[in-house]
Amino acid sequence: MARRDDSPDFIEAIARGLDVIRAFGPGQPVMSLAGVAAASDLPRPTARRILLTLEQLGYVRVVGGQAGGQSGGGYELTPRVLDLGMSYVLSRGLWEVARPHMEALVAQTRESTSIAQLDGSDIVYVARVAVPKIVTLAVTIGTRFPAMQTSLGKVLLAALPLAEAERVLAEPSRSGITTRWQPDAAERAAALREVRARGWALTDEQLAPGIRSVAVPLRDGEGRVIAAINVNSHAAETPLDVLMSRHLPLLLQTAGAISADWAACQSAPQVTVAGTAGGGTVGSPVTAAGEPS
Protein backbone atom coordinates (compact mmCIF):
# COMPACT_ATOMS: atom_id res chain seq x y z
CA MET A 1 0.00 0.00 0.00
CA ALA A 2 1.46 3.40 -1.01
CA ARG A 3 2.27 5.97 1.64
CA ARG A 4 -0.29 8.78 1.77
CA ASP A 5 2.31 11.39 2.79
CA ASP A 6 5.98 11.54 1.79
CA SER A 7 6.99 13.71 4.76
CA PRO A 8 9.68 12.04 6.93
CA ASP A 9 7.68 13.15 9.98
CA PHE A 10 4.52 11.31 8.89
CA ILE A 11 4.05 7.99 10.73
CA GLU A 12 2.11 5.73 8.38
CA ALA A 13 1.55 3.05 11.03
CA ILE A 14 -0.39 5.47 13.24
CA ALA A 15 -2.52 6.59 10.31
CA ARG A 16 -3.35 2.97 9.47
CA GLY A 17 -4.25 2.25 13.09
CA LEU A 18 -6.71 5.13 13.06
CA ASP A 19 -8.11 3.86 9.76
CA VAL A 20 -8.87 0.54 11.45
CA ILE A 21 -10.63 2.21 14.39
CA ARG A 22 -12.72 4.33 12.00
CA ALA A 23 -13.72 1.18 10.08
CA PHE A 24 -16.23 0.41 12.85
CA GLY A 25 -18.95 2.69 11.56
CA PRO A 26 -22.61 3.14 12.56
CA GLY A 27 -24.47 -0.16 12.56
CA GLN A 28 -21.23 -2.15 12.48
CA PRO A 29 -20.35 -2.89 16.12
CA VAL A 30 -18.75 -6.24 15.20
CA MET A 31 -16.62 -6.72 12.10
CA SER A 32 -14.67 -9.61 10.62
CA LEU A 33 -11.02 -9.30 9.74
CA ALA A 34 -11.94 -9.25 6.04
CA GLY A 35 -14.49 -6.51 6.68
CA VAL A 36 -12.01 -4.35 8.58
CA ALA A 37 -9.39 -4.80 5.88
CA ALA A 38 -11.84 -3.80 3.15
CA ALA A 39 -13.27 -0.81 5.05
CA SER A 40 -9.82 0.54 5.94
CA ASP A 41 -8.35 -0.23 2.49
CA LEU A 42 -5.53 -2.24 4.04
CA PRO A 43 -4.03 -5.61 3.16
CA ARG A 44 -5.50 -8.34 5.32
CA PRO A 45 -2.19 -9.18 7.11
CA THR A 46 -1.69 -5.50 7.96
CA ALA A 47 -5.23 -5.16 9.29
CA ARG A 48 -4.74 -8.31 11.38
CA ARG A 49 -1.53 -7.00 13.00
CA ILE A 50 -3.17 -3.67 13.80
CA LEU A 51 -6.22 -5.37 15.32
CA LEU A 52 -4.01 -7.61 17.46
CA THR A 53 -2.06 -4.55 18.64
CA LEU A 54 -5.27 -2.68 19.48
CA GLU A 55 -6.49 -5.77 21.32
CA GLN A 56 -3.31 -5.85 23.40
CA LEU A 57 -3.80 -2.16 24.24
CA GLY A 58 -7.43 -2.69 25.23
CA TYR A 59 -9.11 -0.75 22.42
CA VAL A 60 -10.46 -3.82 20.57
CA ARG A 61 -11.68 -7.23 21.73
CA VAL A 62 -12.42 -10.53 20.04
CA VAL A 63 -16.01 -11.78 19.96
CA GLY A 64 -17.29 -15.14 18.73
CA GLY A 65 -14.01 -17.04 18.66
CA GLN A 66 -10.41 -16.54 17.58
CA ALA A 67 -11.00 -13.73 15.13
CA GLY A 68 -7.49 -13.72 13.74
CA GLY A 69 -7.66 -17.32 12.55
CA GLN A 70 -11.30 -18.45 12.56
CA SER A 71 -13.84 -17.40 9.97
CA GLY A 72 -16.58 -17.20 12.59
CA GLY A 73 -14.76 -14.70 14.78
CA GLY A 74 -15.05 -10.96 14.81
CA TYR A 75 -13.79 -7.81 16.50
CA GLU A 76 -15.51 -4.96 18.30
CA LEU A 77 -14.31 -1.73 19.87
CA THR A 78 -14.19 -1.39 23.65
CA PRO A 79 -15.28 1.66 25.65
CA ARG A 80 -11.61 2.52 26.04
CA VAL A 81 -11.64 4.17 22.62
CA LEU A 82 -13.64 6.97 24.25
CA ASP A 83 -10.43 7.98 26.03
CA LEU A 84 -9.06 9.05 22.65
CA GLY A 85 -11.75 11.68 22.29
CA MET A 86 -12.02 12.75 25.91
CA SER A 87 -9.62 15.70 25.57
CA TYR A 88 -11.64 17.05 22.68
CA VAL A 89 -14.93 16.60 24.53
CA LEU A 90 -13.60 18.41 27.59
CA SER A 91 -12.12 21.25 25.53
CA ARG A 92 -15.41 21.61 23.67
CA GLY A 93 -17.03 22.12 27.09
CA LEU A 94 -14.81 25.16 27.49
CA TRP A 95 -16.10 26.62 24.24
CA GLU A 96 -19.63 26.24 25.57
CA VAL A 97 -18.53 28.19 28.65
CA ALA A 98 -17.30 30.93 26.33
CA ARG A 99 -20.41 31.12 24.16
CA PRO A 100 -22.64 33.31 26.40
CA HIS A 101 -19.81 35.84 26.70
CA MET A 102 -19.31 35.80 22.93
CA GLU A 103 -23.01 36.32 22.32
CA ALA A 104 -23.03 39.31 24.68
CA LEU A 105 -20.01 40.77 22.88
CA VAL A 106 -21.74 40.42 19.50
CA ALA A 107 -24.85 42.11 20.89
CA GLN A 108 -22.71 45.06 22.02
CA THR A 109 -20.51 45.43 18.95
CA ARG A 110 -22.81 44.10 16.22
CA GLU A 111 -19.70 42.43 14.82
CA SER A 112 -18.71 38.76 14.58
CA THR A 113 -16.40 37.18 17.14
CA SER A 114 -14.35 33.99 16.96
CA ILE A 115 -12.01 31.87 19.07
CA ALA A 116 -9.07 30.10 17.46
CA GLN A 117 -6.11 27.95 18.40
CA LEU A 118 -2.75 27.46 16.73
CA ASP A 119 -2.19 24.38 14.55
CA GLY A 120 1.24 24.51 12.97
CA SER A 121 1.57 27.74 11.01
CA ASP A 122 -2.23 28.10 10.80
CA ILE A 123 -5.00 29.09 13.13
CA VAL A 124 -8.08 26.88 13.36
CA TYR A 125 -11.45 28.31 14.39
CA VAL A 126 -12.98 26.42 17.32
CA ALA A 127 -15.87 28.71 18.31
CA ARG A 128 -17.73 31.50 16.53
CA VAL A 129 -20.74 33.77 16.90
CA ALA A 130 -21.39 35.61 13.66
CA VAL A 131 -23.54 38.40 12.31
CA PRO A 132 -24.69 38.31 8.67
CA LYS A 133 -22.21 40.36 6.64
CA ILE A 134 -20.64 39.99 3.24
CA VAL A 135 -16.93 39.32 3.72
CA THR A 136 -14.14 38.19 1.41
CA LEU A 137 -13.50 34.88 3.18
CA ALA A 138 -16.15 32.68 4.77
CA VAL A 139 -15.43 31.39 8.28
CA THR A 140 -16.91 28.34 10.02
CA ILE A 141 -15.77 26.04 12.80
CA GLY A 142 -12.69 24.25 11.50
CA THR A 143 -11.71 26.95 9.00
CA ARG A 144 -7.97 27.57 8.95
CA PHE A 145 -5.97 30.61 7.87
CA PRO A 146 -2.24 31.39 7.91
CA ALA A 147 -1.55 32.55 11.47
CA MET A 148 0.75 35.51 10.87
CA GLN A 149 -1.78 37.37 8.71
CA THR A 150 -4.57 37.20 11.31
CA SER A 151 -5.02 39.02 14.59
CA LEU A 152 -5.83 35.71 16.30
CA GLY A 153 -2.65 34.14 14.97
CA LYS A 154 -0.46 37.06 15.97
CA VAL A 155 -1.70 36.77 19.56
CA LEU A 156 -1.02 33.03 19.66
CA LEU A 157 2.41 33.35 18.02
CA ALA A 158 3.38 36.20 20.36
CA ALA A 159 2.78 33.87 23.31
CA LEU A 160 5.65 31.69 22.05
CA PRO A 161 9.37 32.38 22.33
CA LEU A 162 10.54 34.04 19.12
CA ALA A 163 12.61 31.03 18.03
CA GLU A 164 9.63 28.71 18.59
CA ALA A 165 7.34 31.05 16.67
CA GLU A 166 9.75 31.03 13.71
CA ARG A 167 9.95 27.24 13.84
CA VAL A 168 6.15 27.03 13.75
CA LEU A 169 5.91 29.52 10.89
CA ALA A 170 8.40 27.47 8.87
CA GLU A 171 5.77 24.73 8.58
CA PRO A 172 3.73 24.86 5.35
CA SER A 173 0.25 26.32 5.70
CA ARG A 174 -2.63 23.94 5.05
CA SER A 175 -5.16 26.72 4.53
CA GLY A 176 -4.94 26.73 0.76
CA ILE A 177 -5.13 30.53 0.43
CA THR A 178 -2.62 33.16 -0.67
CA THR A 179 -2.43 36.15 1.65
CA ARG A 180 -1.84 39.80 0.80
CA TRP A 181 0.91 40.36 3.38
CA GLN A 182 4.08 38.28 3.12
CA PRO A 183 6.40 39.54 5.89
CA ASP A 184 10.06 38.58 6.12
CA ALA A 185 11.66 37.37 9.37
CA ALA A 186 12.50 40.90 10.57
CA GLU A 187 8.93 42.12 9.98
CA ARG A 188 7.50 39.09 11.78
CA ALA A 189 9.76 39.58 14.79
CA ALA A 190 8.89 43.29 15.03
CA ALA A 191 5.16 42.61 14.74
CA LEU A 192 5.20 39.93 17.43
CA ARG A 193 7.28 42.10 19.78
CA GLU A 194 4.65 44.82 19.42
CA VAL A 195 1.85 42.35 20.24
CA ARG A 196 3.72 41.11 23.33
CA ALA A 197 4.24 44.69 24.50
CA ARG A 198 0.64 45.87 24.18
CA GLY A 199 -1.24 42.60 24.81
CA TRP A 200 -3.45 42.64 21.71
CA ALA A 201 -3.07 42.32 17.95
CA LEU A 202 -4.56 44.08 14.95
CA THR A 203 -4.94 42.92 11.36
CA ASP A 204 -6.02 45.49 8.79
CA GLU A 205 -6.59 43.80 5.40
CA GLN A 206 -3.38 41.76 5.70
CA LEU A 207 -5.22 38.48 5.21
CA ALA A 208 -7.62 39.59 2.47
CA PRO A 209 -9.28 42.78 1.24
CA GLY A 210 -11.99 44.12 3.53
CA ILE A 211 -11.08 42.02 6.57
CA ARG A 212 -10.15 43.98 9.68
CA SER A 213 -9.97 42.52 13.19
CA VAL A 214 -8.50 42.88 16.65
CA ALA A 215 -7.70 39.96 18.98
CA VAL A 216 -6.62 39.32 22.56
CA PRO A 217 -5.44 36.19 24.41
CA LEU A 218 -7.52 33.73 26.42
CA ARG A 219 -5.71 32.19 29.38
CA ASP A 220 -6.15 29.18 31.63
CA GLY A 221 -6.01 29.18 35.43
CA GLU A 222 -2.22 29.26 35.37
CA GLY A 223 -2.04 32.25 33.06
CA ARG A 224 -1.02 30.31 29.96
CA VAL A 225 -2.37 31.47 26.60
CA ILE A 226 -4.49 28.60 25.29
CA ALA A 227 -6.55 30.38 22.63
CA ALA A 228 -7.34 33.82 21.26
CA ILE A 229 -10.59 35.70 20.68
CA ASN A 230 -11.27 38.48 18.19
CA VAL A 231 -13.78 40.99 16.92
CA ASN A 232 -13.94 40.84 13.14
CA SER A 233 -15.31 43.66 11.00
CA HIS A 234 -15.58 44.79 7.39
CA ALA A 235 -13.15 47.60 6.62
CA ALA A 236 -15.75 49.49 4.58
CA GLU A 237 -18.25 49.47 7.45
CA THR A 238 -16.21 49.81 10.63
CA PRO A 239 -13.57 52.55 10.87
CA LEU A 240 -10.30 51.64 12.54
CA ASP A 241 -10.86 54.10 15.38
CA VAL A 242 -14.21 52.45 16.23
CA LEU A 243 -12.57 49.03 16.28
CA MET A 244 -9.84 50.26 18.60
CA SER A 245 -11.63 52.74 20.86
CA ARG A 246 -15.00 50.96 21.26
CA HIS A 247 -14.65 47.28 20.38
CA LEU A 248 -11.22 46.55 21.85
CA PRO A 249 -12.15 47.51 25.46
CA LEU A 250 -15.27 45.32 25.21
CA LEU A 251 -13.16 42.49 23.79
CA LEU A 252 -10.68 42.76 26.66
CA GLN A 253 -13.53 42.58 29.18
CA THR A 254 -14.97 39.54 27.42
CA ALA A 255 -11.62 37.76 27.33
CA GLY A 256 -11.15 38.40 31.05
CA ALA A 257 -14.60 36.97 31.84
CA ILE A 258 -14.05 33.87 29.69
CA SER A 259 -10.60 33.26 31.18
CA ALA A 260 -12.03 33.61 34.70
CA ASP A 261 -14.79 31.11 33.95
CA TRP A 262 -12.29 28.66 32.45
CA ALA A 263 -10.10 28.96 35.53
CA ALA A 264 -13.12 28.30 37.76
CA CYS A 265 -13.98 25.18 35.76
CA GLN A 266 -10.41 23.93 36.05
CA SER A 267 -10.35 24.42 39.81
CA ALA A 268 -13.75 22.74 40.45
CA PRO A 269 -13.60 19.45 42.39
CA GLN A 270 -13.65 16.46 40.07
CA VAL A 271 -14.50 12.81 40.54
CA THR A 272 -14.45 9.87 38.17
CA VAL A 273 -17.63 8.09 37.19
CA ALA A 274 -17.62 4.63 35.65
CA GLY A 275 -19.51 3.47 32.60
CA THR A 276 -19.82 -0.30 32.59
CA ALA A 277 -21.31 -0.86 29.14
CA GLY A 278 -19.47 -3.80 27.64
CA GLY A 279 -17.38 -4.27 30.76
CA GLY A 280 -15.22 -1.17 30.30
CA THR A 281 -14.84 1.96 32.41
CA VAL A 282 -14.58 5.52 31.23
CA GLY A 283 -13.53 8.40 33.46
CA SER A 284 -15.43 11.68 33.09
CA PRO A 285 -14.75 14.80 35.18
CA VAL A 286 -17.85 16.10 36.95
CA THR A 287 -18.45 18.86 39.42
CA ALA A 288 -19.05 18.21 43.08
CA ALA A 289 -22.76 18.46 42.40
CA GLY A 290 -22.49 15.60 39.94
CA GLU A 291 -23.17 17.56 36.73
CA PRO A 292 -20.77 17.37 33.78
CA SER A 293 -18.24 20.16 34.08
Side-chain angles (χ1 to χ4, degrees):
M1 179 179 179
R3 285 174 57 88
R4 72 193 74 189
D5 193 306
D6 293 330
S7 168
D9 296 322
F10 186 85
I11 303 176
E12 185 70 26
I14 294 177
R16 293 179 180 182
L18 293 173
D19 288 341
V20 167
I21 290 174
R22 287 194 292 264
F24 293 84
Q28 294 180 300
V30 178
M31 297 187 69
S32 66
L33 171 58
V36 170
S40 56
D41 196 24
L42 291 171
R44 186 169 172 145
T46 301
R48 178 179 178 275
R49 290 195 301 272
I50 292 172
L51 284 166
L52 292 175
T53 301
L54 292 171
E55 182 187 1
Q56 283 287 96
L57 295 174
Y59 294 108
V60 165
R61 61 172 159 245
V62 174
V63 293
Q66 299 294 323
Q70 299 291 333
S71 60
Y75 295 92
E76 69 178 0
L77 300 178
T78 73
R80 189 168 188 177
V81 298
L82 295 176
D83 292 345
L84 300 175
M86 192 55 66
S87 295
Y88 170 75
V89 171
L90 294 177
S91 66
R92 186 168 175 82
L94 294 181
W95 311 138
E96 294 308 314
V97 168
R99 175 162 290 277
H101 298 290
M102 297 173 72
E103 291 173 345
L105 178 63
V106 168
Q108 291 175 297
T109 63
R110 300 186 184 279
E111 307 279 8
S112 299
T113 181
S114 303
I115 294 177
Q117 292 184 297
L118 201 61
D119 182 22
S121 61
D122 296 332
I123 59 164
V124 177
Y125 287 79
V126 295
R128 180 166 171 82
V129 177
V131 295
K133 289 193 176 184
I134 299 176
V135 294
T136 308
L137 298 173
V139 176
T140 59
I141 303 302
T143 295
R144 60 173 60 236
F145 291 136
M148 193 64 210
Q149 286 78 8
T150 67
S151 60
L152 292 161
K154 289 176 186 175
V155 165
L156 296 169
L157 290 166
L160 302 175
L162 182 58
E164 175 67 9
E166 282 299 309
R167 186 195 67 76
V168 166
L169 288 171
E171 299 181 25
S173 170
R174 290 184 283 156
S175 67
I177 71 167
T178 301
T179 59
R180 303 183 82 194
W181 183 48
Q182 298 290 336
D184 58 24
E187 289 177 291
R188 291 194 297 267
L192 295 181
R193 279 196 300 269
E194 185 176 22
V195 174
R196 292 187 193 100
R198 63 192 184 186
W200 49 268
L202 174 71
T203 288
D204 191 6
E205 300 189 88
Q206 292 172 328
L207 179 66
I211 295 179
R212 174 180 288 165
S213 68
V214 62
V216 300
L218 293 170
R219 302 178 185 273
D220 65 9
E222 298 181 6
R224 295 172 298 198
V225 176
I226 58 175
I229 183 172
N230 76 350
V231 168
N232 184 80
S233 64
H234 196 290
E237 297 180 1
T238 305
L240 194 57
D241 63 332
V242 171
L243 188 66
M244 303 308 301
S245 65
R246 183 173 184 273
H247 296 347
L248 177 57
L250 295 172
L251 179 63
L252 288 165
Q253 293 174 14
T254 300
I258 292 172
S259 296
D261 280 358
W262 283 4
C265 288
Q266 289 175 323
S267 63
Q270 297 184 346
V271 298
T272 298
V273 296
T276 57
T281 60
V282 180
S284 176
V286 296
T287 65
E291 293 295 325
S293 60

